[in-house]
Amino acid sequence: GNSVTQMEGPVTLSEEAFLTINCTYTATGYPSLFWYVQYPGEGLQLLLKATKADDKGSNKGFEATYRKETTSFHLEKGSVQVSDSAVYFCALSDLAGGTSYGKLTFGQGTILTVHP
Amino acid sequence: NAGVTQTPKFRILKIGQSMTLQCTQDMNHNYMYWYRQDPGMGLKLIYYSVGAGITDKGEVPNGYNVSRSTTEDFPLRLELAAPSQTSVYFCASSTRPQETQYFGPGTRLLVL
């Protein structure tokens, strides 16, 4: 079955530090890949996505590249801010095997805390 | 544009009680989903719907029921609440499979 594995957290950084959150996946077909972010007390919101190999998703200074050869979708940001403190979820949606409803398979989430 | 709304925000239930979690979206999305989020875990799919009148089970459907009489509404029913159902519940919607899912703010449920 499909699965998503995120790096163990939590991650604590100082403002302006470089961020990497690792994400690897297993899927039976050709999934779309997503990063969702959850700010304290809120629901999830899409941060970025990529739908095919070598696509790069980007938003708000965050980037992730769909690497089919390494089955990875690592999230990066060059200079984090205090306002980036949140929980980050890597997820995939796979239409293979007749699962035509677009079920999202989530990683366990990574808590990011950024200090001034 | 309200997006996806959920009510209530928080609820405490006693074991054996029942309740309905409400979810409404105003984006005319055909696909709707219910997830639960347990501490330190990703989200697990409970039920989903591909359109009015069509629903099906996800990964963890036991103890829950759903209905979809309109495009806008997708309520989740708990018939006999159990402590294992203590969780945060999120409703989401999308236009098509593999498209971005838009999430509501969640309902925090505590079963004692």
Side-chain angles (χ1 to χ4, degrees):
Chain A
N2 297 337
S3 67
V4 176
T5 302
Q6 288 182 233
M7 65 183 292
E8 294 294 328
V11 175
T12 302
L13 295 172
S14 297
E15 206 164 27
E16 299 183 3
F18 185 85
L19 169 70
T20 299
I21 301 177
N22 290 337
C23 171
T24 58
Y25 67 90
T26 58
T28 53
Y30 299 93
S32 292
L33 301 175
F34 304 83
W35 277 100
Y36 281 85
V37 59
Q38 184 178 30
Y39 297 103
E42 298 183 9
L44 280 72
Q45 55 186 275
L46 179 71
L47 181 59
L48 54 84
K49 71 177 183 181
T51 58
K52 61 183 187 295
D54 300 324
D55 270 1
K56 177 185 285 188
S58 62
N59 185 27
K60 300 182 181 179
F62 291 89
E63 292 183 340
T65 301
Y66 190 143
R67 301 288 187 198
K68 193 171 188 297
E69 64 274 16
T70 56
T71 61
S72 65
F73 193 53
H74 305 319
L75 182 68
E76 296 182 336
K77 186 174 185 181
S79 176
V80 293
Q81 304 300 312
V82 172
S83 57
D84 294 328
S85 298
V87 183
Y88 292 81
F89 292 94
C90 186
L92 70 82
S93 180
D94 188 0
L95 290 182
T99 55
S100 61
Y101 53 86
K103 167 184 173 291
L104 280 172
T105 300
F106 285 89
Q108 73 271 31
T110 300
I111 300 171
L112 171 64
T113 303
V114 180
H115 292 298
Chain B
N1 190 347
V4 180
T5 57
Q6 292 183 239
T7 57
K9 289 186 179 179
F10 175 67
R11 181 78 181 269
I12 299 175
L13 281 184
K14 295 182 179 178
I15 294 172
Q17 286 186 321
S18 61
M19 75 165 293
T20 299
L21 283 66
Q22 301 292 345
C23 174
T24 300
Q25 53 92 8
D26 63 0
M27 297 174 283
N28 201 32
H29 287 171
N30 284 325
Y31 289 78
M32 296 188 74
Y33 310 84
W34 273 107
Y35 295 90
R36 59 176 287 171
Q37 182 183 30
D38 297 321
M41 306 287 289
L43 281 68
K44 299 286 187 184
L45 183 67
I46 305 172
Y47 270 94
Y48 69 96
S49 170
V50 302
I54 307 170
T55 63
D56 206 347
K57 298 176 181 178
E59 300 172 89
V60 290
N62 291 343
Y64 307 94
N65 275 300
V66 293
S67 59
R68 183 97 181 269
S69 56
T70 67
T71 299
E72 294 78 20
D73 300 308
F74 190 40
L76 177 72
R77 178 84 176 162
L78 283 72
E79 291 293 348
L80 293 171
S84 61
Q85 293 177 305
T86 292
S87 189
V88 181
Y89 292 84
F90 289 101
C91 179
S93 71
S94 68
T95 53
R96 293 183 298 276
Q98 292 200 307
E99 289 295 328
T100 302
Q101 292 186 17
Y102 295 86
F103 285 79
T107 294
R108 185 174 298 274
L109 176 66
L110 180 60
V111 182
L112 299 174

